[in-house]
Amino acid sequence: EAEAERARVFMSAIIDAVPSPVFVKDEQHTYIANNDAMCEFIGKPREQLMGKSDYEVFPEHEADVFWARDQEVFDSGLRNEHEEAITDAAGVAHWILTRKRGYELPGGKRMLVGIITDLTERRRVEIALRESEGQASRLALVASRTQNALIISDAAGRIEWVNEGFTRLTGYTLPEVLGRVPGHVLQNDETDPATLAHIAACVARGEPFQAEIVNQAKDGRRYWLAIDAQPIRDKHGQLTNFIAIESDISGRKQAEEELRQAKLVAEAASRAKSEFVANMSHEIRTPMNGVLGMTELLLDSDLTERQRRFAQTIRNSGEALLNIINDILDFSKIEAGRMELDCTPFDVRGVVEEIAELLAARAHAKGVELACN
């Protein structure tokens, strides 16, 4: 008995030295030994485990699973491993691996030794790694399928990676441009030097930049490019890369040029129209002044009352026509933004009588009496 007690104490000391949860059960599935890590893991003191079965410690549905797995070890004498997700006494989820093994004792008795390994941190790393790989795969797919050109360069602007969109746009593959500065490959004599200086300065300072430049493809085709470049820094703030998104804006630039040309044509047409109107108005005004002058001379002569009324109507109509000509000339002032309103008192009765006098002759010819009151 003394020897057995020393063996038990020795076994307990070994078990307690193990950092992982360890338990020992007899053939009746009763706990006969547990270390401190096991007690902490399930949240129960040692005295609540010793001499108890799983049915006295855990819920029945869990105890059924533990009993079946233990019995499998007792029956076969082989090892048994199970990896599963559980919740500890504090309500924290864990992934654990439980290893059990049966042992034959003197006298034909058997016992089972189990050790629990917490896999939670490893599982989290594996999940994070899978998510990271999946995200990288999705990003690579997006980058390869996008129509825009994507360039990843080092801190000095030398190309490290390009997507298929870059090859479609420029005609150059990654091996052809690897380690080269994009501008050294794609610039031509039409590329604006001021824009190039701006890009170089931003790269040197590690700043983002946007620019529109003319580039040249491998086959000699010229195209307009819109660049949006962003610097990438590590956790210490050190510049590591640039990522540039490049879009072909040749169609937009062509449309802008066509609009500019159309605007120039429209402005030229407008100027020609204004000049024509001004010239014609002056040409019409010259004989009109002659008509009015002769009418004034006619009114100064000896006329009957009827003749004087006719001559006065001619003068009024001529003055009205001259006002219309002046209004036409005002169109050029309107287009130039120099139109001014002239606020002048006038005789409403006189204007109405002049209009009636002007129209009376034609009305009389049609047998219509025209009168105003």
Side-chain angles (χ1 to χ4, degrees), residues 9 70 111 117 125 133 139 206-207 230 234 241 250 283 336:
V9 172
D70 293 347
M111 72 173 184
T117 303
V125 172
E133 291 174 346
L139 290 175
E207 298 175 350
Q230 298 293 328
D234 60 20
N241 298 93
S250 301
E283 293 297 329

Side-chain angles (χ1 to χ4, degrees), residues 129-142:
L129 182 60
R130 285 197 299 269
E131 291 178 349
S132 176
E133 291 174 346
Q135 184 178 14
S137 176
R138 289 190 293 271
L139 290 175
L141 179 62
V142 171

Side-chain angles (χ1 to χ4, degrees), residues 3 49 114 224 281 293 305 318 338 369:
E3 187 66 26
L49 292 177
W224 272 94
S281 298
E305 185 62 31
R338 297 195 301 268
E369 180 183 0

Side-chain angles (χ1 to χ4, degrees), residues 330-342:
D330 284 338
F331 276 117
S332 60
K333 293 182 179 180
I334 293 173
E335 292 177 349
R338 297 195 301 268
M339 182 64 182
E340 296 180 0
L341 296 180
D342 185 11

Side-chain angles (χ1 to χ4, degrees), residues 155 195-211 229-231 233 239 242:
T195 303
L196 297 179
H198 169 68
I199 293 175
C202 290
V203 171
R205 293 192 299 265
E207 298 175 350
F209 62 87
Q210 293 80 38
Q230 298 293 328
R233 301 181 183 277
L239 179 66
F242 278 93

Side-chain angles (χ1 to χ4, degrees), residues 52-225:
K52 303 290 181 63
S53 69
D54 288 326
Y55 287 98
E56 298 175 279
V57 178
F58 301 104
E60 184 176 357
H61 66 282
E62 294 182 3
D64 287 340
V65 174
F66 298 156
W67 193 94
R69 292 176 180 172
D70 293 347
Q71 191 60 43
E72 181 182 344
V73 175
F74 281 126
D75 292 341
S76 65
L78 302 177
R79 293 184 179 183
N80 184 307
E81 292 187 359
H82 292 282
E83 189 173 325
E84 58 193 333
I86 66 164
T87 302
D88 65 13
V92 179
H94 291 266
W95 276 94
I96 64 169
L97 173 64
T98 304
R99 295 186 177 93
K100 299 177 183 178
R101 183 172 182 177
Y103 292 92
E104 188 78 25
L105 299 177
K109 293 183 178 182
R110 293 176 296 178
M111 72 173 184
L112 177 147
V113 177
I115 183 169
I116 298 174
T117 303
D118 194 339
L119 305 178
T120 304
E121 189 60 31
R122 192 184 78 184
R123 277 302 184 102
R124 288 173 180 168
V125 172
E126 291 174 352
I127 292 172
L129 182 60
R130 285 197 299 269
E131 291 178 349
S132 176
E133 291 174 346
Q135 184 178 14
S137 176
R138 289 190 293 271
L139 290 175
L141 179 62
V142 171
S144 65
R145 299 301 182 188
T146 183
Q147 294 300 313
N148 293 331
L150 297 181
I151 300 176
I152 298 178
S153 65
D154 61 16
R158 294 182 292 267
I159 295 175
E160 293 183 345
W161 181 85
V162 297
N163 69 337
E164 295 177 8
F166 177 89
T167 301
R168 288 193 297 267
L169 178 62
T170 68
Y172 291 99
T173 61
L174 177 58
E176 292 176 302
V177 297
L178 186 64
R180 304 176 67 181
V181 176
H184 297 171
V185 181
L186 304 174
Q187 292 164 11
N188 57 76
D189 54 354
E190 295 182 22
T191 307
D192 181 29
T195 303
L196 297 179
H198 169 68
I199 293 175
C202 290
V203 171
R205 293 192 299 265
E207 298 175 350
F209 62 87
Q210 293 80 38
E212 294 182 357
I213 62 173
V214 178
N215 272 358
Q216 179 171 309
K218 186 177 181 180
D219 58 6
R221 173 178 55 87
R222 304 291 176 92
Y223 61 92
W224 272 94
L225 196 67

